[in-house]
Amino acid sequence: MAITLTALRWFALAPDAQARFWAGLLGMTQDGATVYVPGFALRFVPTDRPKTVQARIHLDLTSSSAEDQQARVARVLQLGGKHVDIGQGPDAKHVVLADPEGHELCVIEPGNRFLADTGAIGAVNCDGTYDLGIFWSRVLDWQLVWDAGEETAVQSPAGGTKLTWSGPPLMTRDSPDRIRFEVTAEAAADVVRLLDLGATHLGEGRFLDPDGNDFHVTPAWLVGTDAQ
């Protein structure tokens, strides 16, 4: 039995256009409103709600040199993104931008040791408590690769993108989560384990994690069917 991270469910006004942006930026394969990145997918789903507040989850993209970082920033702008200020300050080595619908992303400076050997998406950077990092480490059976103060990070045994939680102070929860984890459960017992670990079932595959963030669970036998 196992639970696997399969996608980030990403609400968008124009899902196909968002998928084109991210596929073009990352150089990854796009299938309709889905972009396939190593380890999981970015699955854009429709919403009629514009983004109005800073997202609780964003992607940290890596760079291999100063020139590569500049090129990645230029590519974001070329594809319709923009620079944004979230309080990073003038001395920040990373560059904060947003995609065409305003979802934040960071292009991390070269030589960042924490994100070494992770791939183009170095981290899925999440707002969340220490306990939330422990929760997902146990749910996914991923190693805790960072545990410092209130900050945590986990990574698949196969390597690749890290999931990180920044600890308090937490962002104000005043709008629905636009980016959510999607996981696949192999068996009904996996859902029971989720509940035992502190998740709350809201019905129809929708759950809340211990911090109150939405996430979605698909039984393995429904993957690839219209019943998802």
Side-chain angles (χ1 to χ4, degrees):
M1 296 182 293
I3 296 176
T4 305
L5 177 66
T6 49
L8 296 183
R9 180 180 293 201
W10 196 316
F11 287 85
L13 298 174
D16 287 354
Q18 281 288 89
R20 283 194 297 274
F21 169 87
W22 284 98
L25 176 60
L26 298 170
M28 303 296 178
T29 301
Q30 176 188 358
D31 181 7
T34 300
V35 179
Y36 295 99
V37 302
F40 55 94
L42 308 179
R43 193 159 77 85
F44 296 91
V45 296
T47 181
D48 59 1
R49 295 179 179 227
K51 180 179 178 295
T52 58
V53 298
Q54 184 177 337
R56 299 172 67 84
I57 294 177
H58 71 266
L59 302 185
D60 287 338
L61 310 184
T62 59
S63 62
S64 59
S65 65
E67 293 76 17
D68 182 47
Q69 184 184 29
Q70 293 170 3
R72 289 179 186 273
V73 170
R75 183 64 171 158
V76 170
L77 302 177
Q78 179 187 29
L79 290 169
K82 61 183 179 181
H83 287 276
V84 292
D85 184 353
I86 58 171
Q88 64 268 29
D91 297 328
K93 295 180 180 179
H94 62 285
V95 181
V96 184
L97 304 114
D99 69 18
E101 291 197 6
H103 297 90
E104 296 82 8
L105 66 110
C106 293
V107 180
I108 305 300
E109 70 278 3
N112 183 290
R113 294 172 59 188
F114 178 67
L115 298 182
D117 301 321
T118 54
I121 301 176
V124 178
N125 191 311
C126 310
D127 184 65
T129 61
Y130 177 87
D131 288 343
L132 188 57
I134 300 302
F135 169 81
W136 281 108
S137 176
R138 293 171 175 169
V139 167
L140 299 172
D141 196 22
W142 283 15
Q143 181 182 1
L144 192 67
V145 295
W146 183 255
D147 183 352
E150 295 290 333
E151 298 179 358
T152 53
V154 301
Q155 187 178 34
S156 166
T161 300
K162 294 178 178 177
L163 309 180
T164 69
W165 291 270
S166 55
L170 300 184
M171 298 167 61
T172 302
R173 186 180 299 281
D174 51 9
S175 64
D177 298 313
R178 295 186 73 87
I179 304 176
R180 308 174 181 183
F181 288 178
E182 283 193 8
V183 301
T184 298
E186 286 189 2
D190 290 316
V191 176
V192 174
R193 185 164 65 88
L194 275 173
L195 300 177
D196 288 343
L197 289 171
T200 302
H201 189 196
L202 301 180
E204 298 183 348
R206 183 181 164 209
F207 289 74
L208 293 179
D209 66 28
D211 275 12
N213 303 298
D214 280 278
F215 70 99
H216 299 264
V217 179
T218 301
W221 55 90
L222 293 180
V223 173
T225 73
D226 292 337
Q228 291 186 70

